[in-house]
Amino acid sequence: MFTGPRDRADRARPPARSRRAARLSRGMAHVLVMVLITEVVMAITTAGTLPEPAATHAFRPPPSVTKPFYPATTRFYTDPHNPAASWVRAHPRDRRAAAIRQRIADQPQAAWFTETNESLVEERARGLVDAATARRRLPVLVAYAIPQRDCEQYSAGGSGDPGVAYRRWIDAFTRGIGDRPALVVLEPDALAHLGCLRKRQRTERFAALAYAARTLRERAPRARVYYDAGNSGWQPARTMAARLRHAGIDRYGDGIAVNVSNFNATRDEVRYGLSVLAELRRPRLGVVVDTSRNGAGPTSKHQFCDPPGRRLGRAPTAATGIPGVDAFLWVKQPGQADGCAAGAGVFVPGYAYRLTG
């Protein structure tokens, strides 16, 4: 209700203490408004650095994270024998060949090491790293031989037991890399996928991963090791950080890999990866994000096995522009099945072609 001049004049004047309290309240309110404005401006500024439009609640990297490890000019290695390239050479007249060659085969992507034959693993790793070094490119290698891999599901397999057999496998893999630069993604799903393991088996897996990372650090000193940390739709950041510690990341790792073989949006994986780093409290660690098939984001039900309607994501680069994020990579080789369109790891040209659309 509006109050006229006479009514205001007739009101009793409040005591001096009340007037001071009122002025103090107004001052505090002014300070709170300024703080809120500052917070909004900071959130908008941070969101603007992400590679995709930020969600309403953008994650602000903690001030302790470091700049990306690799120079923005880093060039990753394109293996001429990647699955897409091999298919194109075998089917040059196929109407899909040109698109698959330009959009997939000619792009840098990781090489997966899944064979149980130690001599073959060592030979393959050495050949790949030698070829990349000769071309002054950085190769990306995926060690994927942990026992009880994928909880015996689509990508079941592994090197046998987590003790002697797996250690011999890692030793061979490491000898192949030797004293040459490389980026290693260590055992996708091994830490996110612990539900099928008993307590003793979990302890053995932690020890196997710690041995792998320590061996690479000591015997392949120019390789950087990124433990796989699942993705933003799987384990909470605090849970994943605890598992990473058990596996020795604070002693032997250089960072984490997220979204491997998945479809989540880059912005969500950046936030998740940085959240895991914040839980670990290890500023020297970095994040790499698999962007191979996340161009359309996930399906509404977050299908993980060859879902339709997906697209290629951002091309591999070290120019992320985001503190703490070392690279966007194609860890999953586009066109390889997850286990539904065909057997896991089988190149499906129709699926690859649809990813280019």
Side-chain angles (χ1 to χ4, degrees):
M1 182 177 65
F2 178 75
T3 304
R6 180 181 296 274
D7 294 328
R8 290 200 302 269
D10 292 341
R11 286 182 179 178
R13 186 174 180 83
R17 180 176 300 174
S18 298
R19 291 198 302 274
R20 286 196 299 273
R23 287 196 297 272
L24 181 60
S25 297
R26 288 195 296 272
M28 290 298 293
H30 179 72
V31 170
L32 287 173
V33 169
M34 294 302 295
V35 168
L36 288 172
I37 292 173
T38 302
E39 287 290 321
V40 170
V41 171
M42 289 179 65
I44 293 173
T45 303
T46 302
T49 66
L50 295 174
E52 299 181 24
T56 303
H57 301 289
F59 177 82
R60 291 203 301 272
S64 59
V65 298
T66 59
K67 66 180 181 180
F69 175 81
Y70 296 108
T73 54
T74 299
R75 302 182 70 178
F76 295 100
Y77 179 60
T78 303
D79 181 6
H81 303 292
N82 68 58
S86 297
W87 181 86
V88 168
R89 282 194 298 273
H91 303 83
R93 297 182 183 278
D94 191 291
R95 65 178 182 80
R96 302 165 294 185
I100 291 176
R101 182 184 65 251
Q102 294 169 6
R103 300 290 308 282
I104 299 177
D106 290 347
Q107 291 293 334
Q109 49 198 275
W112 289 62
F113 290 78
T114 62
E115 306 90 344
T116 56
N117 184 306
E118 296 154 20
S119 297
L120 179 58
V121 166
E122 181 176 348
E123 181 182 351
R124 271 197 64 213
R126 181 174 291 112
L128 184 83
V129 175
D130 281 347
T133 301
R135 291 167 177 76
R136 297 184 179 181
R137 302 289 189 270
L138 182 67
V140 179
L141 296 79
V142 181
Y144 194 48
I146 199 78
Q148 290 187 285
R149 187 175 67 201
D150 199 28
C151 281
E152 307 300 328
Q153 296 186 62
Y154 294 107
S155 297
S159 63
D161 70 88
V164 176
Y166 185 68
R167 291 187 179 202
R168 283 203 307 256
W169 190 93
I170 282 293
D171 290 346
F173 177 71
T174 304
R175 284 195 302 270
I177 297 173
D179 190 22
R180 276 79 53 86
L183 189 158
V184 176
V185 175
L186 186 61
E187 298 297 347
D189 300 345
L191 289 175
H193 225 344
L194 292 180
C196 64
L197 302 180
R198 298 184 179 92
K199 184 177 180 179
R200 176 182 58 80
Q201 293 172 322
R202 292 187 181 197
T203 300
E204 291 173 342
R205 177 162 291 187
F206 290 141
L209 291 169
Y211 177 84
R214 183 175 75 247
T215 300
L216 285 159
R217 174 173 287 275
E218 293 174 354
R219 304 179 198 172
R222 299 177 70 190
R224 282 180 66 81
V225 180
Y226 292 81
Y227 284 65
D228 184 79
N231 61 70
S232 61
W234 204 340
Q235 302 293 346
R238 181 169 297 180
T239 299
M240 184 52 62
R243 294 179 181 183
L244 287 161
R245 286 193 200 96
H246 282 305
I249 194 170
D250 51 347
R251 290 168 289 168
Y252 312 123
D254 297 294
I256 61 174
V258 295
N259 206 43
V260 172
S261 299
N262 215 285
F263 306 87
N264 295 328
T266 302
R267 61 176 177 269
D268 295 331
E269 295 307 298
V270 165
R271 292 190 193 96
Y272 176 70
L274 293 177
S275 296
V276 174
L277 294 192
E279 292 288 344
L280 288 168
R281 299 180 182 179
R282 290 292 186 272
R284 66 178 180 81
L285 300 178
V287 181
V288 295
V289 182
D290 186 355
T291 60
S292 58
R293 303 182 299 176
N294 72 347
T299 65
S300 59
K301 296 183 179 181
H302 286 263
Q303 294 171 264
F304 70 91
C305 190
D306 302 318
R310 302 310 93 198
R311 297 289 181 269
L312 298 172
R314 182 170 178 176
T317 180
T320 70
I322 306 173
V325 180
D326 290 345
F328 300 134
L329 303 172
W330 282 11
V331 181
K332 175 72 174 182
Q333 296 174 321
Q336 280 197 333
D338 298 312
C340 294
V346 174
F347 183 79
V348 182
Y351 188 49
Y353 183 70
R354 289 190 290 275
L355 287 171
T356 69

